[in-house]
């Protein structure tokens, strides 16, 4: 059974054509075409309800969703104030009671040419915040690596385009185009990835399946995020399972909530490539890149926890700086290719 039972027919009727550019309205009211680079701005987006009219007006002056304090997940289905409180709690407790996320555990099993990755890991951030990281298509810098020099940024996973196909309460079905960069044993390259993602903003779960992924016959998976009461033993003196309400009460509202993430990724190289030793090489790349992406997430969350406050406007400025560094490196690489 696929990851989208009963959903295949509807998808086939709605994604026969690739994502197309749309138009946006400029400040003078005239319509202008959206470049290939800007296709991902398609919604829906959700404003932080706590923004003042002045902050919202200042944000609109940015004129680009990449740097606006917008949410990719619908705050209607979770307590945004509690999420902000938890984020700030992680910041304030970082030095007093450090929490070290262990590297992800990745189990690899291959059967009948199909590779199954079962992944478990924890992050020092609440489930809704982690879900936002997973689903935000604005290339927020979560998946980057640093080169030899501090100004040498490499974005490992870029979102090129998104299109929301269906919105039904907390459920959102999105068509996504990404590009993945890989490097292994001296070889490097890029892999275009075109997916359909079925998200649930309330349950913080998602499934995905390929529309088209280069060299892949099968490419699908799922993830779920569960709360992890990291201070339960210290503040509640108990190891038995408790609810979020009980945890908040016994910890005096001082208990941090982290995330336990369980992922399953299934892939199978196309028929011509699913033969040793080529299939071994492809599987090796897939597993190594997956581990690298998970490590990027881990380091990103640790960096965010070091910040003294979590202010959307401040975060947007940080993101814009990252974007400029990435764009500068891309321009530099293009100039080198010209020579």
């Amino acid at each position: 059974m696929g990851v989208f039972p009963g959903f295949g027919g509807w998808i086939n009727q709605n994604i026969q054509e690739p994502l197309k550019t749309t138009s946006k309205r400029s400040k003078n009211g005239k319509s202008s075409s959206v470049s290939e680079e800007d296709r991902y701005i398609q919604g829906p987006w959700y404003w932080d309800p706590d923004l003042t009219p002045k902050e919202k007006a200042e944000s609109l002056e940015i004129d680009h969703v990449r740097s606006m304090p917008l949410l990719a997940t619908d705050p209607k289905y979770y307590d945004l104030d509690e999420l902000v409180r938890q984020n700030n709690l992680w910041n304030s407790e970082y030095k007093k009671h450090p929490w070290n996320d262990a590297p992800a555990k990745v189990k690899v099993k291959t059967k009948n040419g199909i590779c199954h990755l079962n992944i478990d890991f924890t992050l020092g951030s609440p489930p809704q915040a982690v879900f936002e990281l997973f689903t935000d298509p604005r290339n927020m810098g979560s998946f980057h690596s640093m080169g030899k020099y501090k100004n040498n940024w490499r974005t490992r996973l870029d979102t090129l385009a998104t299109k929301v196909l269906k919105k039904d309460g907390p459920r959102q079905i999105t068509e996504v185009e990404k590009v993945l960069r890989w490097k292994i044993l001296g070889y490097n390259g890029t892999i275009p990835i075109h997916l359909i993602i079925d998200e649930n903003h309330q349950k913080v779960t998602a499934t995905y399946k390929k529309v088209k992924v280069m060299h892949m016959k099968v490419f699908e998976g799922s993830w779920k995020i569960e709360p992890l009461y990291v201070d339960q033993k210290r503040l509640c003196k108990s190891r038995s399972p408790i609810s979020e309400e009980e945890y908040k009460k016994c910890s005096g509202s001082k208990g941090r909530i982290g995330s336990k993430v369980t992922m399953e990724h299934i892939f199978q190289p196309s028929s011509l490539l699913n033969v040793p030793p080529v299939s071994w090489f492809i599987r090796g790349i897939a597993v190594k890149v997956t581990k690298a992406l998970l490590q990027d997430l881990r380091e990103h969350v640790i960096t965010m926890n070091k910040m003294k406050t979590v202010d959307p406007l401040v975060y947007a400025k940080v993101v814009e700086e990252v974007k400029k560094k990435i764009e500068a490196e891309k321009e530099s690489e293009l100039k080198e290719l010209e020579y």
Side-chain angles (χ1 to χ4, degrees), residues 165-317:
L165 303 178
K166 187 176 182 180
K167 183 78 168 75
D168 182 14
R171 186 186 182 197
Q172 180 173 302
I173 299 168
T174 310
E175 184 179 1
V176 181
E177 291 182 26
K178 296 177 178 285
V179 62
L180 175 66
R181 297 181 177 87
W182 61 269
K183 183 176 183 180
I184 184 172
L185 300 176
Y187 296 92
N188 62 77
T190 59
I191 300 174
I193 299 174
H194 192 171
L195 304 172
I196 298 295
I197 304 179
D198 189 347
E199 310 165 8
N200 190 305
H201 294 178
Q202 189 171 36
K203 295 181 179 179
V204 287
T205 60
T207 56
Y208 60 90
K209 192 171 185 178
K210 80 176 182 75
V211 175
K212 185 177 181 181
V213 179
M214 188 173 67
H215 305 319
M216 290 292 170
K217 180 180 180 181
V218 177
F219 193 93
E220 60 188 50
S222 63
W223 72 75
K224 67 176 181 178
I225 308 171
E226 299 173 288
L228 182 65
Y229 304 131
V230 301
D231 295 316
Q232 181 178 345
K233 182 179 177 182
R234 180 172 64 87
L235 298 177
C236 298
K237 313 299 182 184
S238 171
R239 291 188 178 183
S240 59
I242 58 176
S243 66
E244 184 174 341
E245 184 178 346
E246 291 171 329
Y247 179 60
K248 189 173 182 180
K249 184 178 180 180
C250 69
S251 68
S253 298
K254 296 181 179 180
R256 293 167 294 178
I257 299 178
S259 295
K260 177 183 177 182
V261 186
T262 303
M263 303 181 70
E264 181 183 24
H265 181 53
I266 304 169
F267 67 91
Q268 180 183 18
S270 55
S271 300
L272 294 176
L273 300 176
N274 200 21
V275 180
V278 178
S279 60
W280 300 341
F281 182 69
I282 293 176
R283 282 198 294 270
I285 290 175
V287 173
K288 183 170 182 177
V289 170
T290 298
K291 290 181 178 180
L293 290 171
L294 295 173
Q295 181 62 19
D296 289 345
L297 270 177
R298 178 173 175 258
E299 293 177 359
H300 176 78
V301 170
I302 291 173
T303 300
M304 293 303 297
N305 285 342
K306 289 180 181 179
M307 295 177 66
K308 293 182 179 179
T309 59
V310 180
D311 186 314
L313 296 177
V314 172
Y315 183 63
K317 292 179 182 178

Side-chain angles (χ1 to χ4, degrees), residues 12 17 42 52 59 64 67-68 115 133 156 190 198 211 214 226 258 275 280 287 291 316:
N12 289 333
E17 298 295 329
Q42 298 177 78
T52 65
S59 300
H64 202 295
S67 301
M68 290 182 181
C115 188
L133 280 177
R156 219 183 298 269
T190 59
D198 189 347
V211 175
M214 188 173 67
E226 299 173 288
V275 180
W280 300 341
V287 173
K291 290 181 178 180

